[in-house]
Amino acid sequence: MKSTSAIRRASLLTSAAVALALAASGTWAQEETEETPDKSVEEQAREDALEEHATQPGDMYVPSMTTLGEIKVEIPGRKPDDPVMTDEEFQQATTMYFERCAGCHGVLRKGATGKALTPDITREKGFEYLRDFITYGSPAGMPNWGTSGDLTEEEVDMMTRYVLLEPPAPPEFGMEDIRGTWQVHIAPEDRPTEKMNDWDIDNLFSVTLRDSGEIALIDGATYEIKKILKTGYAVHISRISASGRYLFVIGRDAKINMIDLWMEDPDTVAEVKIGAEARSVETSKMEGYEDKYAIGGAYWPPQFVIMDGDTLEPLRIKSTRGMTYDEQTYHPEPRVAAILGSHYKPEFLVNVKETGKIMMVDYSDLEALKITEINAERFLHDGGLDSTQRYFLTAANARGKVAVVDTKESKLVAVIETEGETPHPGRGANFEHPTYGPVWATSHLGDDTVALIGTDPEGHPDSAWKMVHQLYALGGGSLFVKTHPESENLYVDATLNPDAETSGSVAVFKIADMAEEEPDYTVLPIVEWAGIAEGQPRVVQGEFNKDGNEIWFSVWNAKDLESAIVVVDDKTLELKHVIKDPRLITPTGKFNVYNTRADVY
Ligand code: DHE
């Protein structure tokens, strides 16, 4: 079910211990070793393995199809030899499966980063084998759902019977469904023709309030919360139209809100749901197409939807189902991960996760949609542009690689090993390295490394599209790196690190110090600065203000506890301000309007 730290786990245990631990928990590895292990060694190996399960930060970062879990599914027809399961249990197990297992094993159980769990496979393994596997997990990435206490013995039993049955298929979400959710609250002709408020829109931050299903619009200079707006469930990211007027946010329930920042009192002017589960939204950025289209990408159904940029009217749906790029076998549910608007062509770059393809979707003629399908690497997740905005660098995170696409020539340029476990760049960070020239950075979920990749094939051909420098930051569990053209620093968080002090801090590298092989970094105690006594808040995602002289970090606490945003002076690395407000519930992503629309990172 969870696999992001699989390689690290395996490398942390000796291979003998791995074999023993697997054998002890009755896992796939039973086929690989016939030896009967010594009991006490076996127990030790099991303990080691379980400890690993409990402490790997990457495990906490696996998609949870929560909204899909709320849908009542049609129960597939039963066969005479099926395990007994009531309809009520089946629905309950489906919800549990979508929330906890589908992220890795796929909604249809055909496998993603985790193994396929279709009945032809599960029935061969048998009830006891599967029950033990769910109970104890495996060092290959499966969590120990039973022994961790996450599932009761009865629930493990129910899930075991469930995976022996045919999987249900959640409903599709076609044009009729999408149009059924589409609402234009204020028609374009009824909107202002010029900006009607005195907000400094370019320096506004749209802040995700994850667990309250809202965003906060915060002024970048005064830190005043100008407005809180209701959005979709567990809203994920914000993106801005090319003009900077319209703000688009997408919830995990695939609901997009379009907010007009020119209104006297900015508000949602249109909304639509593009599927049942989604994570990405973007707008057309190419000259001549500014504000013309928006696009949303869904996890379920596997599809993207191009919409009118003024009204969100759904115009074109494209399914991403198809062949994997390498083996060319059919994948029924390749999820749409990051989407980026090209500055070089009227194209959206769409990461299709499980098939490992980057689709360059030409939106100049929606009736004759042209897609250049680039074979990249499986498990594409997030990424961003280089400093010239010509190259798209995107992580195939479960493969430990970064793919580079030339958006001008529509070609794959390179697939680079980052030599860390599970690269997770967000949109990455671009800066001028003292030795290697322009580079783009990513940190990693599974270890403390930061990979710097050369991005200047003209000026620095020897460094281009290679990992030129590896830095060591605070620890595993990093989600985002950040810098700004005006900054001389690179910031690296460690959000999912199990150690509270580490996940509550940020590492800052001086770019000039990178002339050294192993530069030191400064640690900023962000949570301590926030002065929050209760809970174990995590620091996540730095975001610069427009001028690039201060960086904001979210201090992300539990829903019912105090959270904050800490503002750091980029020149002095000192605390500048703490934004606290009871309305700031679980702040996570922050999107400065100017930096987001102009792709400055
Ligand atoms: Fe994200 C970006 C998917 C969990 C905060 N996240 C993205 C993108 C994808 C994605 C595909 C790229 C969007 C784009 O650029 O178009 N995220 C997922 C998941 O599948 C995952 C692992 C689990 C899930 O069920 O959603 C997940 N993400 C999280 C979190 O738990 C985070 C830390 C907190 C939160 O708000 O949910 C989180 N994700 C973010 C942020 C970005 C993001 C802040 C945008 C970064 C940027 O700089 O653009």
Side-chain angles (χ1 to χ4, degrees):
M1 292 187 193
K2 299 186 179 181
S3 70
T4 45
S5 49
I7 307 161
R8 188 171 173 83
R9 280 204 183 109
S11 67
L12 285 169
L13 295 168
T14 64
S15 43
V18 170
L20 293 177
L22 287 163
S25 56
T27 68
W28 314 127
Q30 266 180 334
E31 292 143 7
E32 289 158 23
T33 173
E34 292 303 317
E35 280 172 46
T36 314
D38 169 72
K39 192 77 185 355
S40 60
V41 179
E42 177 187 306
E43 269 168 10
Q44 185 55 49
R46 163 76 62 74
E47 249 171 52
D48 288 350
L50 294 186
E51 194 173 318
E52 283 304 307
H53 288 299
T55 54
Q56 290 304 308
D59 290 348
M60 294 148 69
Y61 198 69
V62 166
S64 170
M65 310 279 203
T66 324
T67 42
L68 206 56
E70 283 168 10
I71 295 173
K72 218 169 165 40
V73 292
E74 208 164 293
I75 301 176
R78 302 283 171 80
K79 296 190 204 86
D81 60 340
D82 275 351
V84 178
M85 187 166 233
T86 64
D87 287 0
E88 200 191 339
E89 274 184 315
F90 192 92
Q91 294 291 354
Q92 219 182 317
T94 303
T95 302
M96 203 172 272
Y97 178 84
F98 286 160
E99 284 177 0
R100 302 181 185 214
C101 322
C104 289
H105 296 284
V107 168
L108 303 171
R109 305 213 308 250
K110 297 265 187 186
T113 48
K115 304 240 179 217
L117 292 174
T118 42
D120 53 323
I121 298 168
T122 52
R123 288 199 170 207
E124 206 166 287
K125 305 282 177 200
F127 178 87
E128 283 177 11
Y129 176 92
L130 294 165
R131 186 198 50 205
D132 287 353
F133 196 70
I134 297 172
T135 305
Y136 299 112
S138 88
M142 172 79 172
N144 52 326
W145 293 106
T147 50
S148 66
D150 278 327
L151 299 187
T152 62
E153 222 170 285
E154 291 74 36
E155 284 170 333
V156 170
D157 182 89
M158 176 177 78
M159 293 313 288
T160 310
R161 282 178 285 138
Y162 179 73
V163 294
L164 289 164
L165 296 169
E166 278 301 323
E172 297 296 316
F173 211 83
M175 190 50 96
E176 205 186 322
D177 303 297
I178 297 176
R179 286 193 89 87
T181 68
W182 174 48
Q183 293 178 56
V184 178
H185 300 295
I186 302 177
E189 57 274 22
D190 299 328
R191 294 178 204 157
T193 50
E194 57 186 52
K195 186 157 119 13
M196 300 301 286
N197 57 53
D198 59 0
W199 295 19
D200 179 4
I201 292 178
D202 263 357
N203 199 21
L204 193 71
F205 284 69
S206 172
V207 179
T208 295
L209 302 179
R210 190 186 193 277
D211 294 358
S212 63
E214 293 170 325
I215 53 156
L217 299 178
I218 306 183
D219 184 81
T222 62
Y223 314 122
E224 181 197 347
I225 300 180
K226 306 289 277 183
K227 183 145 191 178
I228 306 265
L229 277 157
K230 273 273 156 228
T231 59
Y233 170 80
V235 59
H236 208 100
I237 63 164
S238 297
R239 295 289 187 246
I240 319 281
S241 71
S243 72
R245 172 177 183 170
Y246 291 114
L247 172 69
F248 297 84
V249 295
I250 188 151
R252 280 179 168 79
D253 57 358
K255 178 172 158 182
I256 299 175
N257 284 63
M258 175 178 170
I259 295 146
D260 183 359
L261 296 176
W262 278 12
M263 284 162 64
E264 201 178 331
D265 181 23
D267 213 338
T268 296
V269 289
E271 62 181 75
V272 70
K273 231 168 101 63
I274 55 125
E277 278 279 343
R279 301 292 182 274
S280 49
V281 64
E282 176 59 309
T283 66
S284 52
K285 297 266 177 71
M286 179 64 188
E287 212 182 313
Y289 292 89
E290 294 94 340
D291 294 18
K292 193 164 171 54
Y293 295 119
I295 180 172
Y299 273 13
W300 186 270
Q303 63 191 24
F304 58 84
V305 180
I306 299 177
M307 294 152 282
D308 181 274
D310 268 340
T311 61
L312 287 184
E313 178 179 7
L315 302 173
R316 178 86 204 229
I317 311 173
K318 179 83 183 84
S319 168
T320 51
R321 292 186 168 110
M323 300 295 172
T324 54
Y325 90 94
D326 44 3
E327 290 161 7
Q328 305 202 33
T329 48
Y330 180 70
H331 201 291
E333 49 169 311
R335 290 171 265 199
V336 175
I339 304 182
L340 214 125
S342 169
H343 295 266
Y344 274 83
K345 288 184 178 174
E347 286 181 341
F348 291 121
L349 286 97
V350 178
N351 272 354
V352 187
K353 201 185 263 275
E354 281 77 13
T355 51
K357 292 174 182 174
I358 299 167
M359 289 183 167
M360 302 184 78
V361 182
D362 181 338
Y363 50 72
S364 61
D365 183 353
L366 294 188
E367 293 309 309
L369 200 67
K370 287 188 284 296
I371 299 182
T372 308
E373 215 177 75
I374 309 250
N375 285 347
E377 181 53 282
R378 287 207 216 177
F379 310 118
L380 295 164
H381 192 72
D382 51 354
L385 297 170
D386 77 309
S387 58
T388 68
Q389 306 195 325
R390 172 169 169 176
Y391 299 98
F392 176 45
L393 294 100
T394 185
N397 58 9
R399 288 281 160 97
K401 291 181 184 159
V402 165
V404 185
V405 167
D406 180 347
T407 65
K408 191 173 169 195
E409 302 292 338
S410 305
K411 278 205 309 231
L412 181 76
V413 177
V415 178
I416 305 150
E417 298 260 2
T418 62
E419 292 174 32
E421 194 198 323
T422 321
H424 192 280
R427 284 164 291 168
N430 288 295
F431 58 92
E432 181 89 17
H433 189 283
T435 315
Y436 303 106
V439 293
W440 177 92
T442 179
S443 57
H444 293 81
L445 256 169
D447 60 34
D448 57 351
T449 63
V450 179
L452 307 185
I453 293 169
T455 58
D456 180 21
E458 306 269 298
H460 297 80
D462 291 347
S463 308
W465 320 129
K466 290 180 193 138
M467 192 189 80
V468 289
H469 198 169
Q470 189 174 44
L471 311 175
Y472 303 94
L474 283 173
S478 175
L479 290 179
F480 300 105
V481 285
K482 191 68 74 168
T483 188
H484 185 280
E486 295 301 320
S487 170
E488 292 171 358
N489 298 314
L490 173 70
Y491 296 80
V492 185
D493 65 20
T495 312
L496 298 181
N497 195 285
D499 174 62
E501 202 179 322
T502 308
S503 68
S505 304
V506 162
V508 192
F509 291 90
K510 278 223 157 310
I511 292 168
D513 292 349
M514 292 181 197
E516 290 164 36
E517 190 50 39
E518 266 196 45
D520 274 345
Y521 55 80
T522 305
V523 181
L524 306 184
I526 303 289
V527 166
E528 196 186 308
W529 283 350
I532 290 176
E534 269 190 290
Q536 189 191 325
R538 296 169 184 278
V539 176
V540 68
Q541 204 239 11
E543 176 79 353
F544 270 91
N545 62 346
K546 177 171 179 266
D547 291 344
N549 56 19
E550 59 186 45
I551 180 164
W552 296 24
F553 289 98
S554 300
V555 176
W556 172 19
N557 211 346
K559 191 178 177 169
D560 52 350
L561 297 176
E562 187 176 50
S563 287
I565 291 171
V566 167
V567 181
V568 176
D569 185 311
D570 176 63
K571 289 283 168 287
T572 62
L573 298 186
E574 283 169 6
L575 171 66
K576 198 161 176 186
H577 190 78
V578 179
I579 310 175
K580 278 192 188 172
D581 190 294
R583 292 171 296 169
L584 275 188
I585 296 163
T586 58
T588 54
K590 298 161 300 304
F591 304 88
N592 174 270
V593 166
Y594 179 79
N595 294 336
T596 306
R597 84 173 155 92
D599 283 304
V600 176
Y601 37 81

